[in-house]
């Protein structure tokens, strides 16, 4: 049985298990004290193992990626293409989010005065920008500050190109480290079916079907938006740049999309994203090792779309009219906010406070959304990761760095 089939079975069984067993767990001691905690442990071990890979994998692959471009000018060219595609797709995502928020009107008629909770405040945008420069790169590595790691790794990789023979030796060493990290990734992926089963079972048990009802429209808007964005924008990129069928593409990246859905972390999914894009889509190592870690850190189409929907939801719920001007402002702030969103579970909710504040909306609205945030986070993270893969494929195709692949398996 292929790994993908096992992961899919784990996913479906996990949902069914969670919905069926969740309600029974309240009364049944064995379920409550043993089965659910065991699932929690399995899920957490899987997540931790994925996280274990991130810092060494990202650092070594970016150094090698930056250095393997050979000519620093072509790194600049790939960099610019990547950034433009990331920004444009993100802006389109927010527009889709706002459009669906206006259409579905999730917050109209809600009485939330008593339900408003407290929300944590986001960082000012200038701080977010200044924070990408590391003052101590070792500290950035220890704290897994991804943007700082990327900046330092880019310097390191490019500088080693200028350092002659010695630089080559350093790159060789990092190349070997990256190879070892990939092989650890493949080992850990064998645990994915069990990890996925446990994580999704716990979420389904916790939220149940009935709890979804009050916020069903927000959930529907975010999920529908994510599907529309993937089908229209990513299919478009694949057809235009790669001249391939969208089905080929979605099949190739589905492990990454599903893993993102259950881990709710772009960073944790990164090893799988890189493996899928290289193995199944045939994107070269030099493009994927640059475009994907950067994307996992700054490209958050799903988060941006979610912020569009939620801003309207909060405005409607509090009876505040959002002008077109205010909605254009949301496009700008949500784009920047999504760049500053860390690829970890729930980060988008914190950035939502920033978007709400700059749109003049009550940040208590974020407290309201918090109750269903995990469900929204699953969809948006999946879109975040899928978006990175589409841009990686498009950039690779435009650079002539997309090779033919035979089978779509990890
Ligand atoms: N969980 C998301 C991610 O890792 C970020 C977010 O919360 O929006 O991509």
């Amino acid at each position: 049985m292929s790994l993908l089939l096992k992961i899919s079975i784990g996913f479906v069984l996990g949902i069914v298990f969670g919905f069926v067993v969740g309600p029974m767990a309240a009364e049944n001691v064995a379920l409550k004290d043993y089965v659910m905690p065991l699932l929690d442990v399995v899920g957490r071990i899987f997540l931790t193992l994925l996280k274990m890979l991130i810092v060494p994998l990202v650092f070594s692959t970016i150094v090698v990626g930056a250095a393997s471009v050979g000519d620093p000018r072509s790194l600049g060219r790939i960099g610019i293409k990547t950034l433009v595609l990331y920004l444009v797709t993100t802006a389109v995502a927010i527009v889709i989010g706002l459009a669906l928020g206006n259409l579905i009107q999730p917050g109209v008629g809600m009485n939330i005065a008593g339900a408003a909770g407290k929300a944590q405040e986001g960082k000012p945008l200038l701080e977010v920008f200044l924070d990408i420069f590391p003052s101590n790169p070792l500290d950035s590595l220890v704290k897994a500050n991804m943007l700082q790691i990327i900046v330092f790794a880019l310097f390191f990789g490019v500088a080693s190109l200028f350092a002659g023979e010695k630089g080559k030796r350093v790159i060789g060493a990092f190349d070997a480290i990256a190879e070892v990290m990939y092989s650890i990734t493949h080992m850990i992926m064998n645990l994915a079916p069990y990890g996925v089963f446990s994580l999704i079972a716990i979420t389904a048990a916790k939220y149940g079907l009935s709890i979804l009802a009050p916020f069903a429209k927000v959930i529907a808007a975010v999920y529908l938006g994510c599907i529309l964005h993937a089908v229209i924008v990513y299919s478009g990129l694949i057809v235009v740049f790669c001249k391939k069928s969208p089905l080929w593409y979605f099949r190739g990246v589905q492990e990454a999309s599903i893993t993102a859905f259950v881990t709710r972390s772009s960073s944790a999914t990164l090893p799988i994203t890189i493996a899928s894009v290289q193995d199944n889509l045939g994107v070269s190592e030099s493009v994927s090792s640059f475009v994907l870690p950067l994307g996992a850190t700054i490209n958050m189409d799903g988060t941006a779309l979610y912020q569009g929907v939620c801003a309207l939801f909060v405005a409607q719920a509090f009876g505040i009219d959002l002008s077109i001007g205010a909605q254009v402002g949301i496009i700008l702030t949500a784009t920047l906010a999504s760049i500053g969103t860390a690829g970890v579970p729930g980060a988008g909710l914190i950035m939502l406070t920033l978007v709400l504040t700059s749109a003049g909306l009550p940040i208590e609205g974020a407290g309201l959304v918090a109750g269903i945030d995990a469900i929204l986070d699953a969809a948006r993270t999946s879109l975040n990761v899928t978006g990175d893969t589409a841009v990686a494929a498009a950039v690779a195709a435009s650079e002539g760095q997309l090779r033919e692949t035979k089978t779509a398996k990890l």
Side-chain angles (χ1 to χ4, degrees):
M1 204 191 282
S2 77
L3 183 59
L4 173 65
L5 188 60
K6 285 190 201 161
I7 294 177
S8 310
I9 292 174
F11 182 74
V12 173
L13 284 183
I15 289 185
V16 174
F17 184 90
F19 280 152
V20 173
V21 172
M24 295 168 8
E27 282 122 50
N28 187 314
V29 180
L31 285 176
K32 193 165 106 215
D33 292 348
Y34 298 103
V35 177
M36 297 317 275
L38 179 70
L39 290 179
D40 188 43
V41 167
V42 174
R44 279 208 250 166
I45 291 178
F46 177 59
L47 274 183
T48 310
L49 288 176
L50 284 177
K51 285 189 196 147
M52 172 183 88
L53 300 167
I54 300 168
V55 170
L57 183 70
V58 167
F59 190 72
S60 54
T61 54
I62 294 196
V63 168
V64 176
S68 66
V69 182
D71 173 5
R73 267 168 308 180
S74 84
L75 179 66
R77 202 181 55 231
I78 293 178
I80 288 171
K81 275 186 204 169
T82 306
L83 282 181
V84 168
L85 285 177
Y86 277 164
L87 286 177
V88 171
T89 49
T90 301
V92 172
I94 307 166
V95 173
I96 293 180
L98 289 173
L100 285 174
N102 281 308
L103 207 73
I104 296 179
Q105 307 223 318
V108 167
M110 269 193 92
N111 178 16
I112 51 151
K118 274 260 166 278
Q120 210 183 327
E121 286 219 39
K123 272 206 252 173
L125 284 181
L126 182 64
E127 286 297 312
V128 171
F129 174 70
L130 289 177
D131 206 36
I132 73 174
F133 302 102
S135 60
N136 176 353
L138 290 185
D139 188 53
S140 320
L141 290 168
V142 168
K143 297 206 172 111
N145 184 324
M146 299 317 282
L147 279 178
Q148 294 185 354
I149 293 176
I150 289 174
V151 169
F152 183 64
L154 284 174
F155 270 114
F156 198 94
V158 172
S160 57
L161 284 177
F162 297 113
E165 265 314 303
K166 287 184 180 155
K168 275 201 194 121
R169 263 184 273 149
V170 171
I171 295 168
F174 277 105
D175 197 21
I177 293 175
E179 208 48 53
V180 172
M181 294 312 299
Y182 285 132
S183 87
I184 305 183
T185 305
H186 284 101
M187 286 177 200
I188 292 174
M189 274 313 284
N190 287 320
L191 302 176
Y194 312 101
V196 165
F197 172 84
S198 308
L199 290 170
I200 199 77
I202 289 170
T203 311
K206 194 159 146 204
Y207 288 96
L209 285 171
S210 61
I211 303 172
L212 301 187
F215 291 98
K217 279 185 176 177
V218 181
I219 295 169
V222 170
Y223 274 67
L224 181 65
C226 288
I227 292 170
L228 284 178
H229 188 75
V231 168
I232 299 169
V233 178
Y234 303 155
S235 299
L237 283 179
I238 295 305
V239 170
V240 171
F241 284 90
C242 309
K243 319 256 179 301
K244 298 262 193 192
S245 104
L247 277 182
W248 162 84
Y249 161 73
F250 285 115
R251 269 191 62 161
V253 300
Q254 58 190 332
E255 285 105 339
S257 305
I258 292 177
T259 309
F261 190 90
V262 295
T263 60
R264 294 184 281 119
S265 167
S266 301
S267 301
T269 310
L270 185 60
I272 293 153
T273 319
I274 294 177
S276 310
V277 162
Q278 287 184 0
D279 298 352
N280 304 340
L281 303 187
V283 172
S284 72
E285 208 180 314
S286 69
V287 168
S288 57
S289 63
F290 169 70
V291 175
L292 294 173
L294 187 67
T297 314
I298 69 163
N299 183 46
M300 307 267 170
D301 292 0
T303 303
L305 188 145
Y306 147 91
Q307 284 166 343
V309 171
C310 289
L312 280 172
F313 166 68
V314 172
Q316 290 156 0
F318 283 84
I320 299 167
D321 208 23
L322 269 188
S323 65
I324 294 292
Q327 297 197 25
V328 171
I330 290 176
I331 297 178
L332 289 179
T333 33
T335 305
L336 286 175
S338 72
I339 291 174
T341 304
V344 297
L349 182 67
I350 295 168
M351 294 315 258
L352 180 63
T353 61
L354 186 91
V355 175
L356 294 179
T357 314
S358 51
L361 295 169
I363 55 168
E364 284 80 2
L368 206 85
V369 175
I372 49 163
D373 196 62
I375 297 166
L376 304 176
D377 199 6
R380 68 179 188 250
T381 309
S382 187
L383 192 72
N384 289 346
V385 166
T386 311
D388 301 340
T389 65
V391 170
V395 170
S398 76
E399 289 285 317
Q401 299 207 36
L402 193 70
R403 64 181 162 75
E404 281 302 320
T405 48
K406 284 190 219 92
T407 48
K409 69 180 175 55
L410 196 71

